[in-house]
Amino acid sequence: MSADAPNYKDSLCLPTTTFPMKADLVDNEPKRLAGWEADGLYEKILARRRAQNAPDFILHDGPPFANGDVHMGTALNKVLKDLVCKSKTMAGHAVPFTPGWDCHGLPIEFKVVKQAASLEPAEIRRRCTEFAEKFIDIQRASFRRLGVFADWNNPYLTMAPAYEASILRVFAKLVEDGNIYQSKKPVQWSYGAHTALAEAEVEYAEKSSPAIFVRFSLDDSTHMVIWTTTPWTLPANLGIAVHADFLYVVGEFSSEDSTQTLIIAKDLVESFSQKTGLTLTSTLREIKGRELEGRLAQHPFLPRTSRIILAPFVTTETGTGAVHIAPGHGADDYSAGMQNNLGLLSPVDDNGNFTDECSLPDLVGKHVFASNEPIIELLAEKGALLGREKYLHSYPHCWRSKTPIIFRAVEQFFISIDSLRGKALEEIDKVQWLPAWGRNRIYGTVEARPDWCISRQRTWGVPLPVFFGPDGKAILCATTARKVADLVETHGTNIWFEKSDAELAELLDLPADLKKCRDTLDVWIDSGCSHHAVCDNTPGLHCPADLYLEATDQHRGWFQSSLMLSVAFRGTAPYKSVLTHGFVVDKDKKKLSKSEAEKAGKPIDAAHYYNKYGADIVRLWVSSVDWQSEVPFGEELFKQVAEPYRRLRNTLRILLGNLYDFDPASHSVAPESLTLLDRWILERLNNVVSECRKAYETFEFRKVFNTINQFCSQDLSAIYIDATKDRMYCDAPDSIRRRATQSAMHDVFLALTKLLAPILAYTADEAWEHASFTSGSVHEQDFPTVDERFTDGSATSLMDRLFDIRHTLQTGIEEKIQAKEFNRNNEATITLTIPANEPAANILADTELMKEIFIISSLTVETGEALAARAEKSTYALCPRCRRLEPLLPSGLCKRCDDVVNAS
């Protein structure tokens, strides 16, 4: 441009906005969060809905343990919950969200005791309280930073006196209904943590065990043979189980140096021979298992006999078809032993060491796993060891000490599941399970679960409100339990540990010679009572809750404990719907614990990701994944997620830039004044609104993300914004078609920010704040609704036809560009031939609109037999203002630009 050429820039309506292109999420999000909290935004939103008498939606928060920083799996869970709550709120519900923390139990006590040994119970509890409070504050700060809206100042804590009292009242109801009993039976025992464990406190890991074949002699020179992977349990052997209907071979088995008469299940003879080197040389007879019932076999190294019994759990998958029964060391063994009056022997102490009852002086005080080899050596000395092998199997380990568990018979308290099972199974089928396979998983778990061992030999927990009489027998009394609950509600559970037996008896009006129970309740009782402690007792909440949402492991954890205790307490499930999500995994689909992640140098704390990328990137990641499956995360994935974030942010910025001079009250145009392009984008927007609202309703957040992302990148940016750029920049500010496009962009902006608000909590609110025509926070708004004025699809049908025609045009244009006759679309003059019945004939006559849609210089339409297009280089000159090839006036401008400049 020459020095004296006119500068038309000031005559253009160039976009302008205060909404920055660079997000600076890490710096700006905390400022916005501080503003939300200073303004009481969560409370304002809830109050507005309550004032509208909006229907409630209750998502009951499953409490994370207050024992560490927020892991990415916990972040996934909390953000998913927030997506539900925010979307339900904007869909017109009142959604109070009370967050909670699980405070008692082994995870915290284990860490406290490791820091200092030999602490008194009161000091352990004091330190545990401080530990829990510290991490509640840390986790709460992380959840807030992630943009999660909740009643953060009033969370529920399972260590709060009122909550503890509710636990004890649920326990009292169980006692009242006869569902609590004490018994000496095998439980999963952690010698590392010195306590019994519930199934949900057990994790499985590979373990190599010595598997051995052992001979038990009968009185007729024949021998039963058992196979076991737990040689250490042989001192407690009291029986041998066979299957009544299996066929057993009584035969001579020979090796190089001996022949002996053994009894082996027929189906297992071959594998037995392969593993022991003992070959069947002669079959003496075949018998059914039931013919062996009642016979006595000599214990291989102790002076007693073991009775042969029948049991349906005997299989021919491995072993010999004869199972060594130690009723003190296994659930099946215990049941079979009780049914057959075998007695109970469990010669193992809390540390996993043998006691005098093992009858082997050399092993007393020795750990059971360290005793495997000495017992195998003893068997070999006695001639009873027929073979051994290494057996690799999935074995239960303590979730906290990581040590293998042992099954050990001890006096414990239990909830009888049989009395609750039928009703629980009925209630499962009244619940909506998301995904649907969740129903079968929890149904199978409840159907098969044994009685629930609820006593723990720990200090940091809710005490078992049980006393023992002078005879040592437990006194289970609902009235006493309720009195303890009243006492705890006032003083907290510390009173149980601080007062002597006599002092507690006096406070509870009980006989002075009673002794209090020293055990605490399983922590799954704590969280499992939240339906009563929280939902029943928090204003604005109710039970059953509308939704429970946790990771898939909670089918055997919180979902199940809550179900069983709710059925026991109120006779119904505590939830209407249950949604389960997968675990977070690395890019190789490997589930990472915090310790594993640290070893691998892979950050797993949520703070790393929101401090590096921003909370909205974490939230966008959550919305982009398939929560039904394993959820991958890592640095590369977050870098990928940042790309669509930038596109979405840029789309909002472009819309705001084009709306800088738009006042909806005075500039909005009527539908009949909208151009085809405007009507088309509003029809497409209707589809987006409809699809996103349906997706939010069914918790398909990935579909929301994909729908909005595709709309913004394809319909909005690639077509609409590009095609209307000329009218937006170069038309007169108040031209009808510019105001028409602004009207459409205004509606698109409002709809997009509202639909994005649950996901991009910070960014959507920031964009909303930068608009000149909005007020308050986007989170106080309702979701957009479908605009009935744009539902007939007529504009979409026409535009679909024009896109087909554009493809024909583009073919002709590309040929000319390849031939280097011109360089770009806007240099092309098109002669378009259309058939006589062309459905788009009328709209094609609007050449100004067609030049926008096709981005060409000029268009001539003629009728012929078939659709065809011929492209030529335009002969028009370039208008210096709009940069289009147009006929120019003496002013050197095209007519439109000349009119605008002269009018300004």
Side-chain angles (χ1 to χ4, degrees):
M1 182 180 293
S2 63
D4 58 350
N7 182 357
Y8 296 110
K9 183 178 180 181
D10 292 342
S11 71
L12 298 175
C13 300
L14 296 178
T16 179
T17 178
T18 55
F19 184 62
M21 180 181 294
K22 189 176 180 182
D24 283 330
L25 295 176
V26 174
D27 292 331
N28 290 328
E29 286 175 341
K31 299 171 188 173
R32 184 161 296 275
L33 174 60
W36 287 343
E37 296 188 345
D39 195 36
L41 182 58
Y42 165 79
E43 292 77 12
K44 282 175 66 176
I45 292 169
L46 189 57
R48 174 175 173 263
R49 292 300 181 192
R50 291 256 164 86
Q52 296 170 337
N53 291 318
D56 282 337
F57 182 87
I58 307 301
L59 192 168
H60 180 41
D61 189 30
F65 274 117
N67 71 328
D69 296 328
V70 174
H71 174 288
M72 279 302 288
T74 313
L76 168 71
N77 176 262
K78 218 63 159 195
V79 173
L80 277 172
K81 290 172 180 173
D82 193 53
L83 294 182
V84 172
C85 290
K86 282 188 169 72
S87 60
K88 286 292 181 183
T89 296
M90 296 185 76
H93 293 271
V95 187
F97 185 58
T98 302
W101 275 273
D102 214 346
C103 306
H104 292 133
L106 193 54
I108 293 173
E109 185 176 349
F110 196 74
K111 289 185 178 181
V112 166
V113 172
K114 276 180 72 175
Q115 292 169 0
S118 304
L119 297 174
E120 290 296 317
E123 179 62 14
I124 290 174
R125 290 178 63 84
R126 187 190 68 78
R127 293 192 184 193
C128 285
T129 301
E130 289 179 353
F131 187 100
E133 288 173 342
K134 170 187 171 183
F135 280 103
I136 287 167
D137 288 342
I138 289 172
Q139 291 185 11
R140 175 163 41 200
S142 277
F143 294 143
R144 282 172 149 162
R145 178 66 184 82
L146 285 165
V148 177
F149 288 178
D151 190 1
W152 293 116
N153 294 324
N154 300 289
Y156 77 85
L157 309 178
T158 60
M159 65 181 180
Y163 192 107
E164 293 172 322
S166 293
I167 295 170
L168 295 172
R169 290 178 183 123
V170 172
F171 180 86
K173 182 71 165 63
L174 286 159
V175 171
E176 188 171 68
D177 293 342
N179 290 322
I180 304 289
Y181 68 93
Q182 186 189 31
S183 177
K184 185 175 184 180
K185 58 197 293 189
V187 295
Q188 298 180 108
W189 183 267
S190 170
Y191 59 81
H194 292 173
T195 187
L197 299 175
E199 180 60 33
E201 296 171 309
V202 171
E203 57 189 23
Y204 287 80
E206 289 293 303
K207 181 178 183 295
S208 178
S209 298
I212 57 174
F213 294 88
V214 180
R215 189 181 75 178
F216 282 65
S217 300
L218 301 177
D219 56 8
D220 58 357
S221 299
T222 60
H223 310 279
M224 295 300 298
V225 182
I226 64 93
W227 176 85
T228 181
T229 61
T230 55
W232 65 268
T233 60
L234 285 169
N237 172 274
L238 297 175
I240 299 171
V242 296
H243 196 288
D245 299 323
F246 287 176
L247 200 59
Y248 290 81
V249 170
V250 182
E252 293 183 349
F253 288 77
S254 301
S255 63
E256 292 181 359
D257 53 4
S258 68
T259 296
Q260 47 196 316
T261 305
L262 307 176
I263 301 175
I264 307 288
K266 186 174 183 179
D267 290 346
L268 290 166
V269 167
E270 185 176 344
S271 67
F272 170 76
S273 296
Q274 290 172 351
K275 293 175 180 179
T276 63
L278 291 165
T279 304
L280 177 63
T281 54
S282 174
T283 299
L284 303 179
R285 63 185 182 279
E286 294 181 354
I287 58 175
K288 285 292 183 83
R290 62 172 56 91
E291 297 177 50
L292 294 166
E293 184 181 18
R295 296 191 65 182
L296 299 177
Q298 179 60 47
H299 192 284
F301 53 74
L302 292 174
R304 65 168 182 261
T305 56
S306 301
R307 181 153 45 93
I308 299 177
I309 62 173
L310 305 180
F313 55 76
V314 178
T315 72
T316 54
E317 290 179 8
T318 189
T320 63
V323 176
H324 138 62
I325 299 296
H329 293 299
D332 286 341
D333 298 43
Y334 175 81
S335 297
M338 293 302 100
Q339 291 169 11
N340 291 276
N341 298 313
L342 295 183
L344 189 68
L345 178 60
S346 185
V348 181
D349 66 16
D350 290 359
N351 295 308
N353 298 330
F354 275 121
T355 65
D356 291 337
E357 284 185 299
C358 75
S359 301
L360 296 170
D362 290 346
L363 295 185
V364 174
K366 193 177 187 70
H367 194 275
V368 292
F369 288 138
S371 300
N372 277 329
E373 286 305 321
I375 288 172
I376 292 171
E377 291 171 6
L378 180 60
L379 289 168
E381 290 173 14
K382 300 288 187 180
L385 181 68
L386 301 184
R388 68 177 293 174
E389 59 182 330
K390 282 186 177 179
Y391 186 69
L392 189 65
H393 55 148
S394 180
Y395 192 86
H397 287 64
C398 172
W399 68 334
R400 192 49 46 189
S401 66
K402 306 302 180 184
T403 51
I405 67 154
I406 57 175
F407 286 88
R408 170 180 175 243
V410 286
E411 287 285 351
Q412 299 286 353
F413 288 88
F414 297 84
I415 294 176
S416 173
I417 295 299
D418 282 343
S419 58
L420 305 173
R421 196 186 318 273
K423 182 61 177 173
L425 293 173
E426 283 180 27
E427 288 299 304
I428 286 170
D429 281 332
K430 297 176 184 177
V431 174
Q432 180 187 24
W433 298 93
L434 302 166
W437 51 255
R439 179 268 178 198
N440 290 343
R441 179 168 292 184
I442 193 167
Y443 196 95
T445 304
V446 170
E447 199 172 33
R449 80 162 293 167
D451 284 355
W452 182 354
C453 176
I454 59 169
S455 45
R456 295 292 178 274
Q457 291 64 54
R458 304 305 304 178
T459 300
W460 179 231
V462 175
L464 257 164
V466 172
F467 287 86
F468 296 94
D471 59 359
K473 289 185 178 179
I475 300 169
L476 288 163
C477 174
T479 300
T480 299
R482 290 191 176 102
K483 286 182 178 180
V484 174
D486 293 342
L487 198 63
V488 162
E489 189 158 22
T490 302
H491 302 284
T493 50
N494 281 353
I495 194 169
W496 184 270
F497 298 88
E498 292 167 353
K499 297 291 185 182
S500 67
D501 295 341
E503 288 172 327
L504 275 175
E506 183 178 356
L507 284 169
L508 297 167
D509 196 23
L510 297 173
D513 58 353
L514 300 185
K515 303 292 182 184
K516 66 183 176 183
C517 181
R518 260 63 180 177
D519 291 348
T520 56
L521 285 165
D522 175 15
V523 289
W524 289 102
I525 297 279
D526 286 24
S527 58
C529 288
S530 63
H531 59 88
H532 174 55
V534 181
C535 295
D536 284 345
N537 295 317
T538 303
L541 303 188
H542 58 66
C543 189
D546 294 287
L547 182 67
Y548 277 31
L549 190 165
E550 302 298 331
T552 185
D553 59 337
Q554 296 307 318
H555 287 110
R556 70 187 186 108
W558 189 55
F559 297 154
Q560 185 185 176
S561 64
S562 298
L563 172 68
M564 302 311 294
L565 293 173
S566 182
V567 164
F569 187 74
R570 74 184 74 247
T572 63
Y575 34 66
K576 299 175 185 177
S577 300
V578 174
L579 186 154
T580 52
H581 60 82
F583 295 116
V584 293
V585 294
D586 65 13
K587 61 182 177 61
D588 299 318
K589 299 293 183 73
K590 181 182 178 183
K591 184 186 173 189
L592 287 177
S593 68
K594 187 170 182 180
S595 58
E596 289 170 333
E598 287 172 351
K599 287 178 188 175
K602 297 176 179 177
I604 200 167
D605 287 340
H608 168 83
Y609 291 94
Y610 63 66
N611 284 333
K612 183 172 182 179
Y613 299 98
D616 266 0
I617 302 299
V618 177
R619 297 177 67 90
L620 193 59
W621 162 71
V622 173
S623 75
S624 70
V625 299
D626 178 8
W627 49 258
Q628 299 187 53
S629 308
E630 291 179 330
V631 179
F633 80 101
E635 297 285 353
E636 287 304 314
L637 284 169
F638 275 83
K639 290 175 185 175
Q640 292 171 23
V641 170
E643 285 303 313
Y645 172 81
R646 280 190 281 270
R647 287 197 298 271
L648 291 170
R649 184 180 184 88
N650 192 48
T651 299
L652 295 175
R653 188 170 185 273
I654 290 169
L655 291 171
L656 282 171
N658 282 319
L659 292 168
Y660 73 93
D661 63 340
F662 182 73
D663 176 9
S666 55
H667 296 148
S668 294
V669 303
E672 56 271 18
S673 296
L674 297 174
T675 69
L676 173 64
L677 267 172
D678 304 316
R679 286 186 284 113
W680 170 75
I681 199 64
L682 291 173
E683 285 186 4
R684 298 296 301 131
L685 180 65
N686 263 348
N687 289 340
V688 170
V689 169
S690 177
E691 288 298 312
C692 287
R693 292 203 61 167
K694 287 176 188 173
Y696 272 127
E697 184 66 27
T698 53
F699 314 124
E700 296 177 273
F701 308 117
R702 190 182 196 183
K703 188 172 183 180
V704 176
F705 167 80
N706 288 333
T707 299
I708 293 175
N709 191 36
Q710 288 173 13
F711 173 72
C712 288
S713 61
Q714 296 173 16
D715 296 341
L716 198 54
S717 296
I719 298 172
Y720 184 70
I721 290 174
D722 200 31
T724 58
K725 191 181 297 181
D726 175 75
R727 70 169 76 164
M728 288 303 302
Y729 297 179
C730 302
D731 274 15
D734 284 322
S735 79
I736 190 66
R737 68 175 193 164
R738 183 170 183 273
R739 292 306 190 194
T741 295
Q742 285 185 311
S743 298
M745 286 186 172
H746 166 266
D747 291 355
V748 170
F749 174 81
L750 292 181
L752 284 182
T753 48
K754 291 175 182 178
L755 291 172
L756 282 169
I759 297 171
L760 298 180
Y762 290 97
T763 303
D765 198 48
E766 180 190 4
W768 183 267
E769 184 180 86
H770 280 272
S772 60
F773 42 79
T774 59
S775 61
S777 168
V778 71
H779 298 296
E780 297 176 90
Q781 311 306 311
D782 295 338
F783 272 146
T785 57
V786 170
D787 190 333
E788 296 298 333
R789 298 173 300 173
F790 306 106
T791 56
D792 65 3
S794 58
T796 300
S797 296
L798 267 178
M799 285 297 292
D800 286 346
R801 178 56 183 163
L802 291 178
F803 292 143
D804 291 338
I805 294 171
R806 185 178 66 172
H807 178 72
T808 302
L809 265 65
Q810 202 61 37
T811 301
I813 292 171
E814 288 298 326
E815 290 175 359
K816 299 297 183 179
I817 291 175
Q818 291 297 321
K820 300 191 184 307
E821 293 187 21
F822 52 83
N823 298 319
R824 291 183 295 275
N825 271 45
N826 64 354
E827 298 177 50
T829 291
I830 302 294
T831 301
L832 179 66
T833 302
I834 60 173
N837 60 348
E838 171 57 53
N842 289 339
I843 198 69
L844 285 167
D846 186 346
T847 55
E848 284 302 309
L849 180 61
M850 293 307 103
K851 287 193 292 183
E852 280 189 315
I853 292 173
F854 300 142
I855 314 178
I856 56 177
S857 174
S858 64
L859 175 69
T860 301
V861 181
E862 57 187 34
T863 304
E865 292 186 5
L867 182 67
R870 185 174 71 255
E872 296 175 348
K873 181 176 173 60
S874 174
T875 59
Y876 297 137
L878 185 73
C879 174
R881 181 174 180 272
C882 66
R883 315 300 293 174
R884 288 171 58 173
L885 294 170
E886 295 279 348
L888 301 184
L889 299 179
S891 64
L893 300 174
C894 68
K895 184 179 186 309
R896 184 268 310 266
C897 288
D898 187 74
D899 290 343
V900 173
V901 170
N902 287 330
S904 62

